[in-house]
Amino acid sequence: MVYHSTFADEEGITKACGCPLLPSKSRKKGPAPVSEQGKTDIVDEAITFFRCNVFFRNFDIKGPADKLLIYLTFYINLSLKKLEGCRTLAEGSKAILNLGVENVTIPGESGFPFTGLFSLPQSQQEAELLRDYLKQIREETSGRLLGVAYRPNGTPNKWWLAFAKRKFMNIALLDK
């Protein structure tokens, strides 16, 4: 049984293209509402559930937050693939932080990997809101992922990097 987001029943959350703009503990500038520091946010959930959810070929979506959880699970997988060849925390930081700020594609653009997961933007404003949110959440995920993918002494954590070889939902994302 896959792990679903605990944010499934959140009401009053703004959405863009069917993607909920959930609160984040991020200090990075962006459209995500600020979450309390002691409270679990969607990035915490994605990193915590990654090693369990990556084994599943099917993911039954129970709410809009699960769509974001799927997106972040794929992003974490892509990030771990980037970190595979990096032997130090410094190398890994450079590779993964660049990945977080790369051009973020949204539904309707070529290169967006989840055509059926999110709806097409109804306006340019909605498109930019989603792009900014995904960029912010990717940057935050990249930063927090470094904390688990590398040990405090700066060496790779093989128990995390081994999951770079896994395919979530039997789909492999190709790095551009």
Side-chain angles (χ1 to χ4, degrees):
M1 177 118 165
V2 296
Y3 288 89
H4 294 280
S5 176
T6 57
F7 294 99
D9 298 327
E10 293 288 315
E11 293 197 20
I13 297 292
T14 306
K15 292 180 185 164
C17 301
C19 175
L21 307 183
L22 295 172
S24 171
K25 294 184 277 191
S26 175
R27 291 186 205 108
K28 304 200 182 319
K29 186 179 176 187
V34 178
S35 177
E36 297 172 25
Q37 287 300 321
K39 197 174 175 185
T40 300
D41 66 357
I42 191 68
V43 175
D44 292 333
E45 279 189 350
I47 291 173
T48 302
F49 297 157
F50 173 79
R51 293 191 292 178
C52 299
N53 283 348
V54 78
F55 287 105
F56 292 99
R57 292 183 181 195
N58 300 315
F59 195 104
D60 184 33
I61 298 172
K62 301 234 176 179
D66 282 344
K67 295 177 180 183
L68 187 56
L69 188 62
I70 290 169
Y71 180 87
L72 288 175
T73 300
F74 276 108
Y75 179 72
I76 291 169
N77 190 256
L78 182 63
S79 299
L80 289 175
K81 286 183 190 316
K82 282 275 194 187
L83 292 176
E84 248 183 331
C86 302
R87 296 288 167 222
T88 65
L89 178 59
E91 288 177 29
S93 295
K94 189 175 182 182
I96 199 170
L97 293 176
N98 287 339
L99 180 65
V101 296
E102 279 181 0
N103 184 29
V104 178
T105 57
I106 58 170
E109 295 179 347
S110 66
F112 188 74
F114 317 107
T115 53
L117 194 60
F118 300 113
S119 59
L120 296 175
Q122 300 301 313
S123 67
Q124 185 64 29
Q125 182 182 4
E126 183 181 22
E128 288 307 313
L129 178 63
L130 181 63
R131 186 183 318 279
D132 291 344
Y133 179 75
L134 292 178
K135 183 177 180 181
Q136 179 185 6
I137 213 82
R138 284 167 56 135
E139 286 180 50
E140 186 63 27
T141 303
S142 295
R144 292 194 212 170
L145 186 60
L146 286 170
V148 295
Y150 288 90
R151 294 187 179 96
N153 66 0
T155 60
N157 183 343
K158 70 178 182 179
W159 302 112
W160 263 92
L161 294 180
F163 285 87
K165 293 172 178 48
R166 300 293 314 176
K167 292 189 280 186
F168 178 55
M169 294 176 33
N170 209 25
I171 298 171
L173 283 181
L174 301 174
D175 186 22
K176 297 180 222 171

